Amino acid sequence: MDQGELAEQIINAFDGMSAQLRSAARYVLDRPHDVALLSMREQARQAGVQPATMTRLAQHLGLDGYETVREIHAAAIRGGEIGFAGKAGVQVASQKLKGDHALATDILQSISSQVACLAESRSIGRLVETAKALTAARRVYCLGLRSSHAVAWHLHYILSLIGEKSVLLHGIGGTDGDALRSATRDDVLIAASVLPYTRFTIELVEFAAGRGVPIIAITDSEVAPLAQLADHLVIVPTSSPSFFHTMTPAFIVSEILGALVAGQAGESAVEALRRFDEQGAALNTHLNQRPPKKVL
C-alpha cells in the first residue's frame, strides 16, 4: 500500500469513525510530512488525541499498528511522492466524497482554529519580542519568496508607511540578496519560509547570519531550517484541507508585527503617516467616497 492508497482508504472509512479517530485521521491526511518524521506521541499531541488513538486508527484501517502508517509516509518522502500533486490527489478524493461545500467549510474552520492558536500566550510573547527587535533595528530587511513573498511584502509595505528603514529583498534578474551587502549587526533580517522551504531563502539567511545580522524567522516548525538560524522565532501553522498550504496565519503575523512596531515607534510613526496622508491627498491616490450606484 502506498501513501495515496492509504489516504483514499482513510477517506472512505472516515464517516464511520468516532470523533477521536476522525481527529487522528484528519491529522494523517493534512500532515503527511509530519506523519513520516515525528514520533507517534508527538503526532497524537498535535492531533489533540491520546497516543493509543493513533494505534486504534491504524487497526481500524486493517494495519498492524501506527508504525506501518509512518513507514508508508516515510517511503513516500523517500520516493518524492508527497508534494503538491500527491496532496491534490487526496483533496480531489475527499472533495468528491464530501462535496465542494464541505471542503470550503473545512478550510475556513481550519484557518479559524489556527488563527486562534496565535492568540495563545507563548505566541503573543514571541510576537511582542519580535516587534521590539524590529523597532530597535537601524534597518529591516524583509525576505519571502514564492508563497511567502506576500508575507514579506505586506510587512515591508506597513513598515514603509511609518518610516524609511524597511528594505524588501526582491531583485530582478536574481539580485534578491544584493542589498544585504550593507547589512550589519545593527540591522535585522526577517524571513518567511514554510514547507516546502525555498532553497534560496535559506541560503540568503545563512549568509546574513554569518555576517552577524540578527535573524527573525516566520516559519512552520521549531525544527524548520530557518528556526535553526533565528534569534527570534514566530511559528505559524500551515496545514490545510487544500492541496496548498495556508499562508493566512503568516500573513496575519505580518499585520500584527506592523501594528506593534507602529505603536512602539510612537510619534515618529504618526508623523510619517501624516506625510503619507498629505501625499495621498495631493496626488488624489484614494477615493474619498464610494462611487454612486448606477441607475438602470
Side-chain angles (χ1 to χ4, degrees), residues 8 36 41 62 92 112-113 116 146 167-168 191-193 198 201 210 215 218 244-245 254 257 270 279:
E8 185 174 354
R41 185 172 296 277
V92 168
S112 177
S113 63
R146 296 186 178 271
V167 178
L168 181 64
S193 183
T198 303
T201 298
I215 305 299
I218 301 175
F244 197 82
H245 50 272
S254 70
L257 290 175
V270 174
Q279 176 178 321

Side-chain angles (χ1 to χ4, degrees), residues 124-144:
I124 293 296
R126 283 179 163 179
L127 287 169
V128 170
E129 290 305 312
T130 297
K132 289 179 180 178
L134 291 171
T135 301
R138 180 192 64 168
R139 188 174 289 111
V140 176
Y141 294 89
C142 300
L143 173 62

Side-chain angles (χ1 to χ4, degrees), residues 141-156 168-169 189-202 204-205 215-220 224-227 230 232-236 238 245 247 249-254 257:
Y141 294 89
C142 300
L143 173 62
L145 303 178
R146 296 186 178 271
S147 63
S148 297
H149 174 73
V151 177
W153 189 92
H154 194 53
L155 177 60
H156 163 72
L168 181 64
L169 300 177
L189 169 60
I190 180 165
S193 183
V194 301
L195 193 72
Y197 309 110
T198 303
R199 176 182 55 80
F200 194 38
T201 298
I202 309 305
L204 286 177
V205 172
I215 305 299
I216 296 172
I218 301 175
T219 191
D220 56 352
L226 284 187
H232 298 276
L233 179 62
V234 179
I235 300 295
V236 292
T238 60
H245 50 272
M247 296 303 299
F251 197 79
I252 290 173
V253 161
S254 70
L257 290 175

